Coordinates of all heavy atoms in Angstrom, one line a residue:
M1 N -5.8 -11.5 -0.6 CA -4.6 -11.8 -1.3 C -3.6 -12.3 -0.2 O -3.5 -11.8 0.8 CB -4.0 -10.6 -2.0 CG -2.8 -10.8 -2.9 SD -2.4 -9.3 -3.7 CE -0.7 -9.3 -3.3
I2 N -2.9 -13.4 -0.6 CA -1.9 -14.0 0.4 C -0.6 -13.2 0.3 O -0.1 -12.8 -0.8 CB -1.6 -15.4 0.0 CG1 -2.9 -16.2 0.1 CG2 -0.5 -16.0 0.8 CD1 -2.8 -17.7 -0.4
V3 N 0.0 -12.9 1.4 CA 1.3 -12.2 1.5 C 2.4 -13.1 1.1 O 2.6 -14.2 1.7 CB 1.5 -11.6 2.9 CG1 2.9 -10.9 3.0 CG2 0.4 -10.8 3.4
P4 N 3.1 -12.7 0.0 CA 4.3 -13.6 -0.4 C 5.4 -13.6 0.7 O 5.7 -12.5 1.2 CB 4.8 -12.9 -1.7 CG 3.7 -11.9 -2.0 CD 3.0 -11.6 -0.8
N5 N 5.9 -14.7 1.0 CA 7.0 -14.8 2.0 C 8.2 -14.0 1.6 O 9.0 -13.6 2.4 CB 7.4 -16.3 2.2 CG 6.3 -17.0 3.1 OD1 5.6 -16.4 3.9 ND2 6.2 -18.3 2.9
K6 N 8.4 -13.8 0.3 CA 9.6 -13.1 -0.2 C 9.7 -11.7 0.4 O 10.8 -11.2 0.6 CB 9.5 -13.1 -1.7 CG 10.7 -12.4 -2.4 CD 10.6 -12.4 -3.9 CE 11.8 -11.7 -4.5 NZ 11.7 -11.6 -6.0
I7 N 8.6 -11.1 0.7 CA 8.6 -9.7 1.2 C 9.5 -9.7 2.5 O 10.1 -8.7 2.8 CB 7.2 -9.2 1.5 CG1 7.2 -7.7 1.8 CG2 6.5 -9.9 2.6 CD1 7.4 -6.8 0.7
F8 N 9.5 -10.7 3.3 CA 10.1 -10.7 4.6 C 11.7 -10.8 4.5 O 12.4 -10.4 5.4 CB 9.6 -11.8 5.5 CG 8.1 -11.7 5.8 CD1 7.2 -12.6 5.2 CD2 7.6 -10.6 6.5 CE1 5.9 -12.4 5.4 CE2 6.3 -10.4 6.7 CZ 5.4 -11.3 6.2
S9 N 12.2 -11.2 3.4 CA 13.6 -11.3 3.2 C 14.2 -10.1 2.4 O 15.4 -10.0 2.2 CB 14.0 -12.6 2.5 OG 13.4 -12.7 1.2
M10 N 13.3 -9.3 2.0 CA 13.7 -8.1 1.2 C 14.3 -7.0 2.1 O 13.8 -6.9 3.2 CB 12.6 -7.5 0.4 CG 12.1 -8.5 -0.7 SD 10.8 -7.8 -1.7 CE 11.7 -6.7 -2.7
P11 N 15.2 -6.2 1.6 CA 15.8 -5.2 2.4 C 14.9 -3.9 2.5 O 15.3 -2.9 1.9 CB 17.2 -4.9 1.7 CG 16.9 -5.2 0.3 CD 15.9 -6.4 0.3
L12 N 13.8 -4.1 3.2 CA 12.9 -3.0 3.3 C 12.7 -2.7 4.8 O 12.8 -3.6 5.6 CB 11.5 -3.4 2.8 CG 11.3 -3.5 1.3 CD1 10.0 -4.2 0.9 CD2 11.4 -2.2 0.6
P13 N 12.4 -1.4 5.1 CA 12.1 -1.1 6.5 C 10.8 -1.8 7.0 O 10.0 -2.2 6.2 CB 11.8 0.4 6.5 CG 12.3 0.9 5.2 CD 12.3 -0.2 4.3
N14 N 10.8 -2.1 8.3 CA 9.6 -2.8 8.8 C 8.3 -2.1 8.6 O 7.3 -2.7 8.4 CB 9.8 -3.0 10.3 CG 10.8 -4.1 10.7 OD1 11.0 -5.0 9.9 ND2 11.4 -4.0 11.8
R15 N 8.3 -0.7 8.5 CA 7.1 0.0 8.2 C 6.6 -0.4 6.8 O 5.4 -0.5 6.6 CB 7.4 1.5 8.3 CG 8.3 2.0 7.2 CD 8.6 3.5 7.2 NE 9.5 3.9 6.2 CZ 10.7 4.4 6.5 NH1 11.1 4.7 7.7 NH2 11.5 4.7 5.5
A16 N 7.5 -0.6 5.8 CA 7.0 -0.9 4.5 C 6.5 -2.3 4.5 O 5.4 -2.6 3.8 CB 8.2 -0.8 3.5
K17 N 7.1 -3.2 5.2 CA 6.6 -4.6 5.2 C 5.2 -4.7 5.9 O 4.3 -5.4 5.4 CB 7.6 -5.5 6.0 CG 8.9 -5.7 5.2 CD 9.9 -6.5 6.1 CE 11.2 -6.5 5.3 NZ 12.3 -7.3 6.1
S18 N 5.0 -3.9 7.0 CA 3.8 -3.9 7.7 C 2.7 -3.3 6.8 O 1.6 -3.9 6.7 CB 3.9 -3.0 8.9 OG 4.7 -3.6 9.8
V19 N 2.9 -2.2 6.1 CA 1.9 -1.6 5.2 C 1.6 -2.6 4.0 O 0.5 -2.7 3.6 CB 2.4 -0.2 4.7 CG1 1.5 0.3 3.6 CG2 2.4 0.7 5.9
Y20 N 2.7 -3.2 3.5 CA 2.4 -4.2 2.4 C 1.5 -5.3 2.8 O 0.6 -5.7 2.1 CB 3.8 -4.7 1.9 CG 3.6 -5.5 0.6 CD1 3.6 -4.8 -0.6 CD2 3.6 -6.8 0.6 CE1 3.5 -5.5 -1.8 CE2 3.4 -7.5 -0.6 CZ 3.4 -6.9 -1.8 OH 3.2 -7.6 -3.0
C21 N 1.8 -5.9 4.0 CA 1.0 -7.0 4.5 C -0.5 -6.5 4.7 O -1.4 -7.2 4.4 CB 1.5 -7.5 5.8 SG 3.1 -8.4 5.7
Y22 N -0.6 -5.3 5.2 CA -2.0 -4.7 5.4 C -2.7 -4.5 4.1 O -3.9 -4.9 4.0 CB -1.8 -3.3 6.1 CG -3.2 -2.6 6.3 CD1 -4.0 -2.9 7.3 CD2 -3.6 -1.7 5.3 CE1 -5.2 -2.3 7.5 CE2 -4.8 -1.0 5.5 CZ -5.6 -1.3 6.6 OH -6.8 -0.7 6.7
L23 N -2.0 -4.0 3.1 CA -2.6 -3.8 1.8 C -3.0 -5.2 1.1 O -4.0 -5.3 0.5 CB -1.7 -3.0 0.9 CG -1.5 -1.5 1.3 CD1 -0.5 -0.9 0.4 CD2 -2.8 -0.8 1.3
C24 N -2.1 -6.2 1.3 CA -2.4 -7.5 0.8 C -3.7 -8.0 1.4 O -4.6 -8.6 0.7 CB -1.3 -8.5 1.1 SG 0.1 -8.3 0.1
G25 N -3.9 -7.8 2.7 CA -5.1 -8.2 3.4 C -6.4 -7.5 2.9 O -7.5 -8.0 3.0
R26 N -6.2 -6.3 2.3 CA -7.3 -5.5 1.8 C -7.6 -5.6 0.3 O -8.5 -5.2 -0.2 CB -7.1 -4.0 2.1 CG -6.9 -3.6 3.6 CD -8.2 -3.6 4.4 NE -9.2 -2.7 3.8 CZ -9.5 -1.5 4.3 NH1 -8.9 -1.0 5.3 NH2 -10.5 -0.8 3.7
A27 N -6.6 -6.3 -0.4 CA -6.6 -6.3 -1.8 C -7.7 -7.3 -2.4 O -7.9 -8.3 -1.8 CB -5.3 -6.6 -2.4
N28 N -8.2 -7.0 -3.6 CA -9.1 -7.9 -4.3 C -8.3 -8.9 -5.1 O -7.0 -8.9 -5.0 CB -10.1 -7.1 -5.1 CG -9.4 -6.3 -6.2 OD1 -8.2 -6.6 -6.6 ND2 -10.1 -5.3 -6.8
K29 N -8.9 -9.7 -5.9 CA -8.2 -10.7 -6.6 C -7.2 -10.2 -7.7 O -6.3 -10.8 -8.1 CB -9.2 -11.6 -7.4 CG -10.0 -12.5 -6.4 CD -11.0 -13.4 -7.1 CE -11.8 -14.2 -6.1 NZ -12.7 -15.1 -6.8
K30 N -7.5 -8.9 -8.1 CA -6.6 -8.3 -9.0 C -5.4 -7.6 -8.3 O -4.5 -7.0 -9.0 CB -7.3 -7.2 -9.8 CG -8.4 -7.7 -10.7 CD -9.1 -6.5 -11.4 CE -10.2 -6.9 -12.2 NZ -10.9 -5.7 -12.8
G31 N -5.3 -7.7 -7.0 CA -4.2 -7.0 -6.2 C -4.4 -5.6 -6.1 O -3.5 -4.8 -5.9
E32 N -5.7 -5.1 -6.1 CA -6.0 -3.7 -6.0 C -6.8 -3.4 -4.7 O -7.6 -4.2 -4.2 CB -6.9 -3.2 -7.1 CG -6.2 -3.3 -8.5 CD -7.2 -3.0 -9.6 OE1 -8.4 -3.1 -9.4 OE2 -6.7 -2.7 -10.7
C33 N -6.5 -2.3 -4.1 CA -7.2 -1.8 -2.9 C -7.1 -0.3 -2.8 O -6.3 0.3 -3.5 CB -6.7 -2.5 -1.6 SG -5.0 -2.2 -1.2
Y34 N -8.0 0.3 -2.0 CA -8.0 1.8 -2.0 C -8.3 2.3 -0.6 O -9.1 3.2 -0.4 CB -8.9 2.4 -3.0 CG -10.2 1.6 -3.1 CD1 -11.3 1.9 -2.4 CD2 -10.3 0.6 -4.0 CE1 -12.5 1.3 -2.5 CE2 -11.5 -0.1 -4.2 CZ -12.6 0.2 -3.4 OH -13.8 -0.5 -3.5
P35 N -7.6 1.8 0.5 CA -7.8 2.4 1.8 C -7.1 3.8 1.9 O -6.1 4.0 1.2 CB -7.2 1.5 2.7 CG -6.1 0.8 1.9 CD -6.7 0.7 0.5
S36 N -7.7 4.7 2.6 CA -7.1 6.0 2.8 C -5.9 5.9 3.7 O -5.7 4.9 4.5 CB -8.1 7.0 3.4 OG -8.3 6.7 4.8
S37 N -5.0 6.9 3.6 CA -3.8 6.9 4.5 C -4.2 7.0 6.0 O -3.6 6.4 6.8 CB -2.9 8.0 4.1 OG -3.5 9.3 4.2
T38 N -5.3 7.7 6.3 CA -5.8 7.7 7.6 C -6.2 6.4 8.1 O -5.9 6.0 9.3 CB -6.9 8.8 7.7 OG1 -6.5 10.0 7.3 CG2 -7.5 8.9 9.1
T39 N -7.0 5.6 7.3 CA -7.4 4.3 7.7 C -6.2 3.4 7.9 O -6.2 2.6 8.9 CB -8.3 3.7 6.6 OG1 -9.5 4.6 6.4 CG2 -8.8 2.3 6.9
I40 N -5.3 3.4 7.0 CA -4.1 2.6 7.2 C -3.4 2.9 8.5 O -3.0 2.0 9.3 CB -3.1 2.7 6.0 CG1 -3.7 2.3 4.7 CG2 -1.8 2.0 6.3 CD1 -2.9 2.6 3.5
A41 N -3.2 4.2 8.7 CA -2.5 4.7 10.0 C -3.2 4.2 11.2 O -2.6 3.7 12.2 CB -2.3 6.2 9.9
N42 N -4.5 4.4 11.2 CA -5.3 4.1 12.4 C -5.3 2.6 12.6 O -5.2 2.1 13.8 CB -6.8 4.6 12.3 CG -6.9 6.1 12.4 OD1 -6.0 6.7 12.9 ND2 -8.0 6.6 11.9
D43 N -5.5 1.8 11.6 CA -5.5 0.3 11.7 C -4.2 -0.3 12.2 O -4.2 -1.3 12.9 CB -6.0 -0.3 10.4 CG -7.5 -0.1 10.1 OD1 -8.2 0.4 11.0 OD2 -7.9 -0.5 9.0
L44 N -3.1 0.3 11.8 CA -1.8 -0.1 12.1 C -1.2 0.6 13.3 O -0.1 0.3 13.8 CB -0.8 0.0 10.9 CG -1.1 -0.9 9.7 CD1 -0.1 -0.6 8.6 CD2 -1.1 -2.4 10.1
S45 N -1.9 1.6 13.8 CA -1.4 2.4 15.0 C -0.1 3.0 14.7 O 0.9 3.0 15.5 CB -1.3 1.5 16.3 OG -2.6 1.0 16.6
I46 N 0.0 3.6 13.5 CA 1.2 4.4 13.1 C 0.8 5.7 12.6 O -0.4 6.0 12.4 CB 2.1 3.6 12.1 CG1 1.2 3.4 10.8 CG2 2.6 2.3 12.6 CD1 2.0 2.7 9.7
S47 N 1.7 6.6 12.4 CA 1.4 8.0 11.9 C 1.1 8.0 10.4 O 1.6 7.1 9.7 CB 2.5 9.0 12.3 OG 3.6 8.7 11.5
K48 N 0.4 9.0 10.0 CA 0.2 9.1 8.5 C 1.5 9.3 7.8 O 1.7 8.8 6.7 CB -0.8 10.2 8.2 CG -2.2 9.9 8.5 CD -3.2 11.0 8.3 CE -3.1 11.6 6.9 NZ -4.2 12.6 6.6
R49 N 2.4 10.0 8.4 CA 3.7 10.3 7.8 C 4.5 9.0 7.6 O 5.1 8.8 6.6 CB 4.6 11.2 8.7 CG 5.9 11.6 8.1 CD 5.7 12.4 6.9 NE 7.1 12.6 6.3 CZ 7.3 12.4 5.0 NH1 6.4 12.1 4.1 NH2 8.5 12.5 4.5
T50 N 4.4 8.1 8.6 CA 5.0 6.8 8.4 C 4.4 6.0 7.3 O 5.1 5.3 6.6 CB 4.9 6.0 9.8 OG1 5.6 6.7 10.8 CG2 5.5 4.6 9.7
V51 N 3.1 6.1 7.1 CA 2.4 5.4 6.0 C 2.9 6.0 4.7 O 3.2 5.2 3.8 CB 0.8 5.7 6.1 CG1 0.2 5.2 4.8 CG2 0.3 5.0 7.3
F52 N 3.1 7.3 4.6 CA 3.6 7.9 3.4 C 5.0 7.4 3.1 O 5.3 7.1 1.9 CB 3.6 9.4 3.5 CG 2.2 10.0 3.6 CD1 2.0 11.1 4.4 CD2 1.1 9.5 2.9 CE1 0.7 11.7 4.6 CE2 -0.2 10.1 3.0 CZ -0.4 11.1 3.9
R53 N 5.8 7.3 4.1 CA 7.2 6.8 3.9 C 7.2 5.4 3.4 O 7.9 5.0 2.5 CB 8.0 6.9 5.2 CG 8.4 8.3 5.5 CD 9.3 8.3 6.8 NE 9.4 9.7 7.3 CZ 9.2 10.0 8.6 NH1 8.8 9.1 9.4 NH2 9.3 11.3 8.9
A54 N 6.3 4.6 4.0 CA 6.2 3.1 3.7 C 5.8 3.0 2.2 O 6.3 2.2 1.5 CB 5.3 2.4 4.6
I55 N 4.8 3.8 1.8 CA 4.3 3.7 0.4 C 5.4 4.1 -0.5 O 5.6 3.5 -1.6 CB 3.0 4.6 0.3 CG1 1.9 4.2 1.1 CG2 2.6 4.7 -1.2 CD1 1.3 2.8 0.8
S56 N 6.1 5.1 -0.2 CA 7.3 5.5 -1.0 C 8.3 4.4 -1.1 O 8.8 4.1 -2.2 CB 7.9 6.8 -0.4 OG 9.0 7.2 -1.1
D57 N 8.6 3.8 0.0 CA 9.6 2.6 0.0 C 9.1 1.5 -0.9 O 9.9 1.0 -1.7 CB 9.7 2.0 1.4 CG 10.4 3.0 2.4 OD1 11.1 3.9 2.0 OD2 10.1 2.8 3.6
L58 N 7.8 1.2 -0.9 CA 7.2 0.1 -1.7 C 7.2 0.5 -3.2 O 7.5 -0.3 -4.0 CB 5.8 -0.2 -1.2 CG 5.8 -0.8 0.2 CD1 4.3 -0.9 0.7 CD2 6.4 -2.2 0.2
E59 N 7.0 1.8 -3.5 CA 7.0 2.2 -4.9 C 8.5 2.1 -5.4 O 8.7 1.7 -6.5 CB 6.5 3.7 -5.0 CG 5.0 3.8 -4.9 CD 4.5 5.2 -5.0 OE1 5.1 6.1 -4.4 OE2 3.6 5.4 -5.8
K60 N 9.4 2.6 -4.6 CA 10.8 2.5 -5.0 C 11.3 1.0 -5.3 O 12.1 0.8 -6.1 CB 11.7 3.1 -4.0 CG 11.7 4.6 -4.0 CD 12.5 5.2 -2.9 CE 12.3 6.7 -2.8 NZ 12.9 7.3 -1.6
A61 N 10.7 0.1 -4.5 CA 11.1 -1.3 -4.6 C 10.2 -2.0 -5.7 O 10.3 -3.2 -6.0 CB 10.9 -2.0 -3.3
Q62 N 9.4 -1.2 -6.4 CA 8.5 -1.6 -7.4 C 7.5 -2.7 -7.0 O 7.2 -3.7 -7.8 CB 9.3 -2.0 -8.7 CG 10.1 -0.9 -9.2 CD 10.9 -1.3 -10.5 OE1 11.1 -2.4 -10.8 NE2 11.4 -0.3 -11.1
L63 N 7.1 -2.7 -5.8 CA 6.1 -3.6 -5.2 C 4.7 -3.1 -5.2 O 3.8 -3.8 -5.0 CB 6.5 -4.0 -3.8 CG 7.8 -4.7 -3.6 CD1 8.2 -4.9 -2.2 CD2 7.8 -6.0 -4.3
L64 N 4.6 -1.8 -5.6 CA 3.3 -1.1 -5.5 C 3.3 0.0 -6.5 O 4.3 0.7 -6.7 CB 3.2 -0.6 -4.1 CG 2.0 0.3 -3.7 CD1 1.0 -0.5 -2.9 CD2 2.4 1.5 -3.0
K65 N 2.1 0.2 -7.1 CA 1.9 1.4 -7.9 C 0.7 2.1 -7.3 O -0.3 1.5 -6.9 CB 1.5 1.0 -9.4 CG 2.7 0.4 -10.1 CD 2.3 0.1 -11.5 CE 3.5 -0.5 -12.3 NZ 3.2 -0.8 -13.7
R66 N 0.8 3.4 -7.2 CA -0.2 4.3 -6.7 C -0.8 5.1 -7.8 O -0.2 5.7 -8.6 CB 0.4 5.2 -5.6 CG -0.5 6.2 -5.0 CD 0.2 7.0 -4.0 NE 1.6 7.3 -4.2 CZ 2.3 8.0 -3.4 NH1 1.8 8.5 -2.3 NH2 3.6 8.2 -3.6
K67 N -2.2 5.1 -7.8 CA -2.9 5.9 -8.8 C -3.9 6.8 -8.0 O -4.6 6.4 -7.2 CB -3.7 5.0 -9.7 CG -4.4 5.7 -10.8 CD -5.2 4.8 -11.7 CE -5.9 5.6 -12.7 NZ -6.7 4.7 -13.6
H68 N -3.8 8.1 -8.3 CA -4.7 9.1 -7.7 C -6.1 8.9 -8.2 O -6.2 8.7 -9.4 CB -4.1 10.5 -7.9 CG -2.8 10.7 -7.3 ND1 -2.5 10.8 -6.0 CD2 -1.6 10.9 -7.9 CE1 -1.2 10.9 -5.8 NE2 -0.6 11.0 -6.9
R69 N -7.1 9.0 -7.3 CA -8.4 8.9 -7.8 C -9.2 10.2 -7.4 O -8.8 10.9 -6.5 CB -9.2 7.8 -7.0 CG -8.5 6.4 -7.3 CD -9.3 5.3 -6.7 NE -9.8 5.6 -5.3 CZ -10.9 5.1 -4.9 NH1 -11.7 4.4 -5.6 NH2 -11.3 5.4 -3.6
R70 N -10.2 10.5 -8.2 CA -11.0 11.7 -8.0 C -12.5 11.3 -7.9 O -12.9 10.4 -8.5 CB -10.8 12.7 -9.1 CG -9.4 13.3 -9.2 CD -9.5 14.7 -9.9 NE -8.2 15.3 -9.8 CZ -7.9 16.2 -8.8 NH1 -8.8 16.5 -7.9 NH2 -6.7 16.7 -8.8
R71 N -13.2 12.1 -7.1 CA -14.6 11.9 -7.0 C -15.3 12.5 -8.2 O -14.7 13.3 -9.0 CB -15.2 12.5 -5.7 CG -14.5 12.0 -4.5 CD -15.1 12.7 -3.3 NE -14.3 12.4 -2.1 CZ -14.4 11.3 -1.4 NH1 -15.2 10.3 -1.7 NH2 -13.6 11.2 -0.3
S72 N -16.6 12.1 -8.5 CA -17.3 12.6 -9.6 C -17.5 14.2 -9.5 O -17.6 14.8 -10.6 CB -18.7 12.0 -9.7 OG -19.4 12.2 -8.5
C73 N -17.4 14.7 -8.3 CA -17.6 16.2 -8.2 C -16.2 16.9 -8.4 O -16.1 18.1 -8.3 CB -18.1 16.5 -6.8 SG -17.1 16.0 -5.4
G74 N -15.1 16.1 -8.6 CA -13.8 16.7 -8.8 C -12.9 16.7 -7.7 O -11.7 16.9 -7.8
G75 N -13.4 16.4 -6.5 CA -12.5 16.3 -5.3 C -11.7 15.1 -5.2 O -11.9 14.1 -6.0
L76 N -10.6 15.1 -4.4 CA -9.7 14.0 -4.3 C -10.4 12.9 -3.5 O -11.1 13.1 -2.5 CB -8.4 14.4 -3.6 CG -7.5 15.3 -4.5 CD1 -6.3 15.7 -3.6 CD2 -7.0 14.6 -5.7
S77 N -10.1 11.7 -3.8 CA -10.5 10.5 -3.1 C -9.2 9.7 -2.6 O -8.1 10.2 -2.9 CB -11.3 9.6 -4.0 OG -11.9 8.5 -3.3
S78 N -9.4 8.6 -2.0 CA -8.2 7.8 -1.6 C -7.5 7.3 -2.8 O -8.1 7.2 -3.9 CB -8.6 6.6 -0.7 OG -9.5 5.8 -1.4
N79 N -6.2 7.0 -2.7 CA -5.4 6.4 -3.8 C -5.9 5.0 -4.1 O -6.3 4.3 -3.2 CB -4.0 6.4 -3.4 CG -3.4 7.8 -3.4 OD1 -3.7 8.7 -4.2 ND2 -2.5 8.1 -2.4
L80 N -5.6 4.6 -5.3 CA -5.8 3.2 -5.7 C -4.4 2.6 -5.6 O -3.5 3.1 -6.2 CB -6.4 3.0 -7.1 CG -6.4 1.6 -7.6 CD1 -7.4 0.7 -6.9 CD2 -6.7 1.6 -9.1
Y81 N -4.2 1.5 -4.9 CA -2.9 0.8 -4.8 C -3.0 -0.5 -5.6 O -3.9 -1.3 -5.4 CB -2.6 0.5 -3.3 CG -2.5 1.8 -2.5 CD1 -3.5 2.1 -1.6 CD2 -1.4 2.6 -2.7 CE1 -3.4 3.3 -0.8 CE2 -1.3 3.8 -1.9 CZ -2.3 4.1 -1.0 OH -2.2 5.3 -0.3
Q82 N -2.1 -0.7 -6.5 CA -1.9 -1.9 -7.3 C -0.7 -2.6 -6.8 O 0.4 -2.1 -6.9 CB -1.8 -1.6 -8.7 CG -1.5 -2.8 -9.6 CD -2.6 -3.8 -9.7 OE1 -3.7 -3.4 -10.0 NE2 -2.3 -5.0 -9.4
L83 N -0.9 -3.8 -6.1 CA 0.2 -4.5 -5.6 C 0.8 -5.4 -6.7 O 0.0 -5.9 -7.6 CB -0.2 -5.4 -4.5 CG -0.9 -4.7 -3.3 CD1 -1.5 -5.7 -2.3 CD2 0.1 -3.8 -2.6
G84 N 2.1 -5.6 -6.8 CA 2.6 -6.3 -7.9 C 4.1 -6.5 -7.7 O 4.7 -6.8 -6.7
G85 N 4.8 -6.3 -8.8 CA 6.2 -6.4 -8.9 C 6.7 -7.9 -8.8 O 7.7 -8.2 -8.3
G86 N 5.8 -8.8 -9.4 CA 6.1 -10.2 -9.4 C 5.9 -10.9 -8.1 O 6.3 -12.0 -7.9
M87 N 5.3 -10.2 -7.2 CA 5.1 -10.7 -5.8 C 3.7 -11.3 -5.7 O 3.5 -12.1 -4.7 CB 5.3 -9.6 -4.8 CG 6.7 -9.0 -4.7 SD 7.8 -10.1 -3.9 CE 7.3 -9.9 -2.2
I88 N 2.8 -11.1 -6.5 CA 1.4 -11.6 -6.4 C 1.4 -13.1 -6.5 O 2.0 -13.7 -7.5 CB 0.4 -10.9 -7.3 CG1 0.4 -9.5 -7.0 CG2 -0.9 -11.6 -7.2 CD1 -0.5 -8.7 -7.9
V89 N 0.8 -13.8 -5.6 CA 0.7 -15.2 -5.6 C -0.6 -15.6 -6.2 O -1.6 -15.1 -6.0 CB 0.9 -15.8 -4.2 CG1 0.7 -17.3 -4.2 CG2 2.2 -15.5 -3.6

């Protein structure tokens, strides 16, 4: 998915912009991806807490929806992230 230029002019912290760009790079044609917070943190060289703050920033700006996923055995899996908010190109 291509990162919309509009994201760079929005009043968001740099952490949110970085995570949004990362998620765009991982998203499928529907704008969905499901990397773990640990994977995002390691790939961007930031802390998991920073990832959580960035995801929260993006949800508040309505650029992202987070859906919790479960494994077939009932355990937690990584979240599903749906990118949107009129930003998908």
Side-chain angles (χ1 to χ4, degrees):
M1 188 174 126
I2 297 172
V3 179
N5 285 333
K6 183 179 178 184
I7 189 77
F8 300 110
S9 63
M10 295 183 76
L12 290 169
N14 286 334
R15 65 179 178 241
K17 293 175 185 179
S18 295
V19 170
Y20 190 83
C21 291
Y22 176 83
L23 294 174
C24 284
R26 301 284 304 259
N28 61 20
K29 291 180 181 180
K30 295 180 184 178
E32 299 173 337
C33 60
Y34 41 89
S36 70
S37 56
T38 301
T39 299
I40 297 169
N42 289 340
D43 288 352
L44 294 178
S45 299
I46 58 178
S47 71
K48 282 177 59 173
R49 183 68 188 132
T50 300
V51 172
F52 297 140
R53 287 184 192 128
I55 297 296
S56 177
D57 293 336
L58 293 169
E59 284 181 312
K60 287 177 187 171
Q62 298 180 349
L63 296 174
L64 174 107
K65 289 185 181 179
R66 175 176 34 179
K67 182 178 179 183
H68 300 291
R69 300 185 319 143
R70 294 206 172 264
R71 300 181 194 281
S72 58
C73 64
L76 291 175
S77 184
S78 61
N79 291 320
L80 172 69
Y81 300 107
Q82 173 67 52
L83 303 172
M87 295 284 289
I88 295 177
V89 175

